[in-house]
Amino acid sequence: MNIEFNKNEDVNKQLVYELKTRLKKIYLGGGEKNAAKQKEKGKLLARERIDYLIDKGSNFLEVGAFTADGMYAAQGGCPSAGVVCGIGYVSGRQCMIVANDATVKAGAWFPMTAKKNLRAQEIAMENRLPVIYLVDSAGVYLPMQDEIFPDKEHFGRMFRNNAIMSSEGIVQISAIMGACVAGGAYLPIMSDEAMIVEGTGSVFLAGSYLVKSAIGEDVDNETLGGATTHCEISGVTDYKQPNDQACLDSIRNIMSMLGKPEDAGFDRIKPELPKEKEEELYGLFPENREKPYDMMDIINRIVDQSEFEEYKKGYGQSIICGLGRIDGWAVGIVANQRKVVKSKKGEMQFGGVIYSDSADKAARFIMNCNQKKIPLVFLQDVTGFMVGSRSEQGGIIKDGAKMVNAVANSVVPKFTIVIGNSYGAGNYAMCGKAYDPRLIYAWPTAKIAVMGGAQAAKTLLQIQEASLKAKGEVITPEKKDELLKEITDRYDSQTTPYYAASRLWVDGIIDPLETRKVISMGIEAANQSPIKKQFSVGVIQT
C-alpha cells in the first residue's frame, strides 16, 4: 500500500478510536455515584437490563446513543437523553427495546428524550417490530415542561403511538422497574401487557407528596401504586415479579410465544463476505474531504463477494447505481462518485456533485428497484447539484426534482449511510433524514450542512462585513481574519457527525466496518412489514 493509503488509515482509525472513547463515556450514563444508588436498591442499570434481556451472543443495534450529546449543559447534561433505545433479538424475535436510564436525572424526560422515544416508536411502527419498554422514570423534567408537553411531536405523541400500534397489532410489553409517574404512567398501561417489579416498581398519576398537597391524604408510594396494589387490588398491571431478572425472564418467555410475523418478501440468500478486505475502507477513504476517490472501492468492500451489477455504467457517472447483496440481502445501491473520469465529454472531476444525467439515471434506477421490490441503500458523499448557466439551461432543477420525487415516493425500505459530505439539496436527493430512511447512520468522517464550511464561512463573512460597515466600523485585515476564523470554527462545529447525532439528524455514528451489520439488521426489520402501498411518482414523470 502507498503512503497516502497509510496516512488515510491512520487518520480514520484515530476517528474510530475517538468514536469508541466517546461511546464509553456515554455508556456510563449519569456516572458511578448515581449507578451505585440504583444498585443499592437491587436494580440493574438500563444497559445491564438490555444485556440480560437480549439473546446471548446476538447483535444489538443502538439508536441515538449520542442524542443530546453536548446539550443541556446548564442542567448538568443528559447522556443519551436519559434513555437507551435499539433493535435487539429477544427469544429469536427482532424487536425495539426502550429502557429509561434512572442514573440520568432519575430518568426524567428532556425535550430530546421525547424526540428519541418517538424515533424509536417510528422505527417500530414502520417495521412492525414488537416494542419492549423498560420503564424507570421520574416523568417530565419540569423546568423544561414547555418544550416537552403540548406540541404534536412532544410527550403526548408517544401515548398516541401506543394506541395506534396496539390497534395495528404491533405488540407492546412494558416492565415497570422503577418510578413511573404522572403522564408517564400511561405508557406502560397503554401497552398490551404490563408487569411490575415488587419493591422498586411503582406507577401512579400523582405521588404521595402531590396527593397530600392536592387532597390532604397521607399515603406512602408503595400503598399508592406499588406492585401489590396494582396486581392484587386495582388490576392495572398483569404480572408481579420479585426482581429485575425475573421480570426480564418473563418478557423473554412471552416473546417466545409470539406468532410468526408476515414476510415482506425481500430476497435473501446465504451471506458471503466481500472478497476485498473490509479493513481497507480505512485506507481508501481520503483524509482530505475534497480529494477524489473511486466510490467503487468502497462498494466492493461492502457488498457480498464484492460483486456489483452496475446500472447504466457509462451514463450519468457522478452517481453510481447498481444491484448487489449485503449479508445475503438483495439491495439497490445509489452512491455518489468522487473520482476523476474520462469520457467523450472530456475529463470530469465529480467531487460528489450531481449532474442532470446522473439525477435522471438515479430516478430511473429507484423506480426499477420499487418495481422489483428491492430495498435501497444510499451511500452519501454529496456536495450538491451542479450549478451554473449550462446546468440551469440543461434543466438541472427539473432532473433534480425528478430524483427527489422518486426518493420521496419510494415504497421499498430505504437505508442511508453518510460516509462523507452531505450538503444542501444533495442531502435530500440522496435520502437524508427528511425522506424517511428506515435507518440513517453516519461514519465518523461525515459532514452534514447546507453547504461546505469554506463556502459558508465566506458568505457569512460578507454578510457580517456589510453589517459592520453599515454601522460605520472599520474592518482591518486582522479583524477580517479574526472574524473568518470565528465563523469557520462555529460553522465547522455544527457540521460534525456528533452535532448531527446529538440532534437525531442521524440515528448514530458507526465504525465503517459496522456498515454491513446496520444495513442487514435494518432490512431484516423491514422484512417484517409487507409493502401495502403502490409506487407512483406523481406528476414529474418525464
Side-chain angles (χ1 to χ4, degrees):
M1 295 297 175
N2 58 34
I3 293 174
E4 188 175 345
F5 181 97
N6 293 335
K7 185 178 179 182
N8 291 338
E9 186 176 45
D10 289 344
V11 169
N12 287 317
K13 282 186 174 180
Q14 182 60 39
L15 288 173
V16 171
Y17 176 78
E18 179 191 354
L19 167 65
K20 292 179 178 177
T21 301
R22 293 177 73 147
L23 280 172
K24 282 180 183 177
K25 184 177 178 182
I26 280 173
Y27 292 163
L28 295 175
E32 294 180 3
K33 186 177 178 181
N34 288 332
K37 289 179 182 177
Q38 298 298 310
K39 294 285 191 181
E40 286 170 11
K41 298 175 184 177
K43 295 161 67 176
L44 296 173
L45 305 180
R47 292 182 183 278
E48 291 176 339
R49 286 168 175 166
I50 292 173
D51 287 342
Y52 187 96
L53 178 64
I54 62 175
D55 299 344
K56 299 298 174 257
S58 66
N59 286 320
F60 178 70
L61 179 57
E62 186 160 355
V63 173
F66 284 104
T67 306
D69 183 47
M71 300 173 71
Y72 309 126
Q75 292 77 25
C78 188
S80 268
V83 62
V84 184
C85 304
I87 300 172
Y89 298 85
V90 179
S91 297
R93 181 71 176 266
Q94 210 179 38
C95 57
M96 174 60 71
I97 303 169
V98 179
N100 297 115
D101 186 349
T103 70
V104 180
K105 299 290 189 296
W109 285 63
F110 281 66
M112 287 305 298
T113 314
K115 186 173 182 177
K116 183 172 176 178
N117 273 266
L118 290 174
R119 175 58 179 152
Q121 287 185 323
E122 179 183 40
I123 292 170
M125 292 167 81
E126 285 179 329
N127 300 294
R128 298 191 60 81
L129 295 178
V131 188
I132 297 170
Y133 302 104
L134 306 180
V135 185
D136 195 343
S137 171
V140 165
Y141 184 69
L142 288 177
M144 304 184 80
Q145 64 85 26
D146 61 318
E147 298 180 49
I148 306 165
F149 171 68
D151 210 347
K152 181 179 178 180
E153 300 298 331
H154 282 179
F155 194 58
R157 185 76 172 184
M158 185 175 61
F159 312 133
R160 173 264 189 195
N161 288 347
N162 287 144
I164 296 295
M165 283 191 278
S166 185
S167 73
E168 293 180 354
I170 299 171
V171 173
Q172 299 170 87
I173 302 170
S174 284
I176 302 164
M177 309 181 83
C180 185
V181 185
Y186 286 104
L187 184 146
I189 309 312
M190 291 190 72
S191 298
D192 303 304
E193 291 183 283
M195 54 190 68
I196 186 168
V197 177
E198 195 170 11
T200 56
S202 58
V203 55
F204 33 66
L205 293 180
S208 56
Y209 292 121
L210 184 55
V211 168
K212 173 69 174 174
S213 173
I215 63 173
E217 181 185 0
D218 279 310
V219 61
D220 63 87
N221 283 340
E222 186 63 27
T223 303
L224 189 64
T228 299
T229 293
H230 285 311
C231 282
E232 299 178 19
I233 301 173
S234 73
V236 164
T237 51
D238 306 307
Y239 308 92
K240 179 168 70 172
Q241 305 296 349
N243 53 48
D244 281 9
Q245 290 87 344
C247 186
L248 297 168
D249 286 338
S250 180
I251 294 172
R252 289 182 56 80
N253 188 45
I254 293 170
M255 286 294 296
S256 72
M257 301 183 193
L258 261 59
K260 190 173 184 285
E262 286 187 68
D263 193 319
F266 303 129
D267 187 67
R268 191 183 199 187
I269 62 173
K270 182 182 176 183
E272 300 277 1
L273 292 173
K275 283 183 180 176
E276 304 288 351
K277 294 179 180 176
E278 291 178 76
E279 296 79 9
E280 290 178 353
L281 287 171
Y282 297 134
L284 291 165
F285 197 80
E287 172 202 5
N288 183 344
R289 295 304 313 111
E290 307 304 318
K291 198 149 193 172
Y293 65 93
D294 191 347
M295 179 61 84
M296 281 306 308
D297 288 337
I298 306 300
I299 292 171
N300 285 333
R301 285 156 181 82
I302 293 175
V303 296
D304 292 14
Q305 288 286 294
S306 302
E307 292 177 353
F308 185 68
E309 188 73 31
E310 191 168 354
Y311 174 77
K312 288 184 179 287
K313 184 176 181 179
Y315 176 74
Q317 294 179 67
S318 72
I319 288 183
I320 296 171
C321 299
L323 302 174
R325 291 188 182 273
I326 294 177
D327 201 35
W329 294 104
V331 296
I333 295 176
V334 181
N336 304 109
Q337 180 58 286
R338 296 289 309 236
K339 74 172 185 177
V340 177
V341 301
K342 290 182 179 179
S343 70
K344 291 181 179 179
K345 296 180 181 180
E347 188 175 271
M348 300 178 72
Q349 180 173 328
F350 293 122
V353 176
I354 302 174
Y355 290 78
S356 284
D357 53 0
S358 301
D360 175 68
K361 176 175 81 171
R364 289 168 182 266
F365 178 72
I366 290 165
M367 293 176 193
N368 287 346
C369 286
N370 274 271
Q371 184 186 50
K372 297 180 177 73
K373 205 158 73 171
I374 299 174
L376 286 159
V377 173
F378 293 82
L379 302 178
Q380 282 197 12
D381 192 353
V382 59
T383 50
F385 285 91
M386 191 61 189
V387 296
S389 60
R390 185 176 174 182
S391 291
E392 297 294 357
Q393 291 165 15
I396 184 67
I397 295 176
K398 181 75 169 178
D399 289 319
K402 189 190 304 181
M403 180 178 175
V404 169
N405 193 296
V407 172
N409 284 296
S410 178
V411 297
V412 295
K414 300 166 290 194
F415 303 90
T416 302
I417 308 293
V418 185
I419 71 174
N421 300 325
S422 180
Y423 295 154
N427 170 282
Y428 302 155
M430 291 295 294
C431 198
K433 184 67 180 290
Y435 288 79
D436 298 323
R438 296 291 178 98
L439 295 172
I440 176 169
Y441 281 81
W443 286 5
T445 45
K447 285 186 176 293
I448 302 172
V450 72
M451 65 176 71
Q455 296 167 288
K458 288 175 184 176
T459 304
L460 291 167
L461 178 63
Q462 289 172 4
I463 295 168
Q464 199 156 336
E465 274 186 291
S467 175
L468 292 170
K469 284 178 181 177
K471 295 176 184 176
E473 294 187 32
V474 178
I475 303 171
T476 64
E478 291 78 16
K479 176 68 173 176
K480 188 173 180 178
D481 289 343
E482 183 184 325
L483 282 173
L484 183 61
K485 184 180 185 306
E486 181 185 317
I487 292 168
T488 302
D489 289 347
R490 184 176 70 247
Y491 192 88
D492 286 347
S493 72
Q494 294 175 354
T495 67
T496 71
Y498 295 99
Y499 192 89
S502 71
R503 287 151 181 81
L504 271 177
W505 301 346
V506 295
D507 292 319
I509 306 170
I510 57 169
D511 182 335
L513 301 186
E514 294 180 296
T515 303
R516 282 169 52 84
K517 180 190 87 171
V518 168
I519 295 168
S520 177
M521 286 185 69
I523 299 175
E524 183 180 351
N527 201 39
Q528 298 182 52
S529 181
I531 299 171
K532 306 290 187 184
K533 190 178 176 183
Q534 201 71 22
F535 176 70
S536 171
V537 292
V539 296
I540 301 178
Q541 296 179 14
T542 60

